[in-house]
């Protein structure tokens, strides 16, 4: 936050500083809460898992081998979707404090 305030005070990048203004409430949250916010995009998370699995294997002897690997990764990901993230309780608590009546916990 201090670095952001110093940047805004510099004046050279006023337009950029104005664009960063909407993200300030997120910067007030703890690092673990920001991590849960950034990682809840399901499509990006799934693509990341698929890319990581393919990249660690390097090459495949056939197309069927690649398809089997992707199938296994997708099955494992489907199991994880049934469980909520561990940090979600902490995130909900901080949202209730920061955003007050705008956040309704379920």
């Amino acid at each position: 936050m201090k670095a952001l305030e110093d940047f805004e005070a510099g004046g050279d990048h006023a337009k950029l500083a104005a664009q960063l203004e909407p993200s300030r409430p997120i910067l007030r949250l703890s690092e673990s809460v920001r991590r849960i916010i950034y990682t809840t995009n399901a499509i990006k998370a799934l693509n990341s898992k698929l890319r990581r699995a393919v990249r660690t294997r390097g090459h495949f002897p056939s197309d069927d081998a690649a398809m089997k690997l992707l199938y296994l990764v997708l099955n494992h990901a489907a199991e994880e979707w049934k469980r909520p993230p561990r940090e979600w309780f902490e995130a909900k608590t901080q949202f209730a404090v920061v955003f007050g009546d705008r956040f309704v916990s379920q």
Side-chain angles (χ1 to χ4, degrees):
M1 288 299 288
K2 171 108 173 71
L4 180 60
E5 290 168 2
D6 292 343
F7 176 75
E8 290 172 345
D12 293 339
H13 307 286
K15 283 186 178 180
L16 182 60
Q19 289 176 346
L20 291 174
E21 185 62 33
S23 66
R24 290 192 93 172
I26 291 174
L27 294 175
R28 289 188 200 115
L29 300 173
S30 70
E31 183 179 341
S32 61
V33 173
R34 281 183 279 158
R35 187 178 316 119
I36 194 81
I37 291 170
Y38 297 146
T39 58
T40 53
N41 186 335
I43 295 171
K44 286 184 179 179
L46 183 59
N47 283 336
S48 172
K49 287 179 184 187
L50 293 171
R51 276 194 310 268
R52 189 176 327 122
V54 170
R55 187 175 39 231
T56 58
R57 299 319 186 273
H59 63 281
F60 299 93
S62 67
D63 288 346
D64 286 339
M67 292 298 286
K68 286 178 184 178
L69 173 68
L70 296 177
Y71 173 79
L72 291 172
V73 171
L74 290 173
N75 271 347
H76 185 69
E79 290 295 321
E80 290 178 358
W81 290 340
K82 295 176 185 174
R83 297 182 301 243
R86 290 185 305 251
E87 300 88 1
W88 188 237
F89 180 76
E90 180 184 352
K92 288 194 312 186
T93 304
Q94 288 195 27
F95 291 155
V97 170
V98 172
F99 298 111
D101 58 347
R102 289 177 34 198
F103 179 77
V104 179
S105 179
Q106 295 178 351

